[in-house]
Amino acid sequence: QITLKESGPTLVKPTQTLTLTCTFSGFSLSTSGVGVGWIRQPPGKALEWLALIYWDDDKRYSPSLKSRLTITKDTSKNQVVLTMTNMDPVDTATYYCAHSAITMVRGVITYYFDYWGQGTLVTVSS
Amino acid sequence: EIVLTQSPGTLSLSPGERATLSCRASQSISSSYLAWYQQKPGQAPRLLIYGASSRATGIPDRFSGSGSGTDFTLTISRLEPEDFAVYYCQQYGSSPLYTFGQGTKLEIK
């Protein structure tokens, strides 16, 4: 059974750095074809993908936020950490981590988010 | 950057009716790279459809997906009370690696 859970501060001040941890179970991030991503959702708004880290430590970032994001993994602890620098009130959102695994669809390799954490609301305010 | 535009923004239907949700991409994408998610209030999204037409594990067969190129559709054949939620389409593979549509809210009429 795959589960993920996000943890971190619920309130950060503008200009501070946010550090979120995703702790998971039911899979290993050292298994070929596995990834963990971060997605956020401002209140009442749509989902926005932030970053993804693969089993081989390949990392991908949203181009619009790349300069502010760092994603890392600790395979021994079954954790993935996302840091976002220079937080602003517009970064107020629920932050989700999600599992992704290699999927073959009509001979094409794809990745989808098939298991999600419950999300954690982060408010940016002074 | 690929932009996904969903329509309508809100769809008001009654239980038992058929729902048709649209997702249009700003440029052609492989159908293998198109997914649909369902999100209920206060919950995380749930994967419904991947590869444009393949149901995820445990998803009832009243949910179906279709489409190719720039136009994709999620159909719910007979609405159940638990189907009223927000639905998002998502593409994988182009920069950015993942893009979500703005969502369609399916509400009870």
Side-chain angles (χ1 to χ4, degrees):
Chain A
Q1 178 190 2
I2 291 176
T3 64
L4 305 96
K5 187 173 183 179
E6 307 85 355
S7 59
T10 57
L11 179 67
V12 297
K13 291 181 168 50
T15 76
Q16 286 187 335
T17 294
L18 172 68
T19 299
L20 294 173
T21 300
C22 176
T23 303
F24 56 84
S25 63
F27 68 96
S28 172
L29 201 39
S30 61
T31 300
S32 178
V34 174
V36 172
W38 286 93
I39 303 99
R40 71 178 179 180
Q41 185 174 37
K45 296 188 177 181
L47 301 163
E48 179 185 20
W49 171 72
L50 303 176
L52 181 80
I53 189 165
Y54 293 101
W55 81 100
D56 59 358
D57 210 37
D58 185 15
K59 301 165 187 177
R60 304 295 175 93
Y61 297 99
S62 169
S64 63
L65 293 167
K66 185 175 182 177
S67 64
R68 299 174 53 204
L69 296 173
T70 303
I71 189 169
T72 60
K73 64 181 175 72
D74 186 330
T75 305
S76 64
K77 293 182 179 180
N78 281 351
Q79 290 182 333
V80 171
V81 175
L82 180 76
T83 61
M84 180 180 291
T85 61
N86 194 25
M87 293 293 285
D88 184 271
V90 300
D91 297 313
T92 293
T94 295
Y95 288 75
Y96 296 99
C97 63
H99 168 273
S100 183
I102 191 169
T103 305
M104 293 295 292
V105 180
R106 296 183 283 278
V108 176
I109 293 175
T110 64
Y111 284 84
Y112 296 106
F113 296 117
D114 51 1
Y115 296 91
W116 294 63
Q118 64 190 23
T120 184
L121 175 61
V122 177
T123 301
V124 184
S125 174
S126 55
Chain B
E1 176 181 339
I2 289 181
V3 176
L4 299 178
T5 302
Q6 294 186 239
S7 61
T10 302
L11 184 58
S12 300
L13 293 170
S14 300
E17 290 192 295
R18 180 184 186 92
T20 303
L21 288 66
S22 174
C23 176
R24 177 163 290 178
S26 58
Q27 57 187 277
S28 182
I29 61 175
S30 168
S31 62
S32 297
Y33 294 156
L34 197 286
W36 290 92
Y37 296 81
Q38 176 194 66
Q39 187 179 32
K40 297 180 180 179
Q43 297 185 15
R46 177 174 70 147
L47 178 65
L48 294 177
I49 301 285
Y50 64 92
S53 60
S54 299
R55 276 187 298 277
T57 303
I59 301 303
D61 61 7
R62 65 180 181 271
F63 290 91
S64 63
S66 63
S68 63
T70 60
D71 293 305
F72 298 90
T73 301
L74 174 69
T75 301
I76 311 171
S77 59
R78 294 172 309 279
L79 285 167
E80 297 287 343
E82 62 267 27
D83 298 336
F84 292 91
V86 179
Y87 293 84
Y88 293 96
C89 59
Q90 172 235 304
Q91 72 85 28
Y92 163 84
S94 295
S95 182
L97 189 61
Y98 296 92
T99 306
F100 291 90
Q102 84 279 16
T104 290
K105 182 180 181 181
L106 178 56
E107 64 176 25
I108 299 177
K109 188 173 181 180

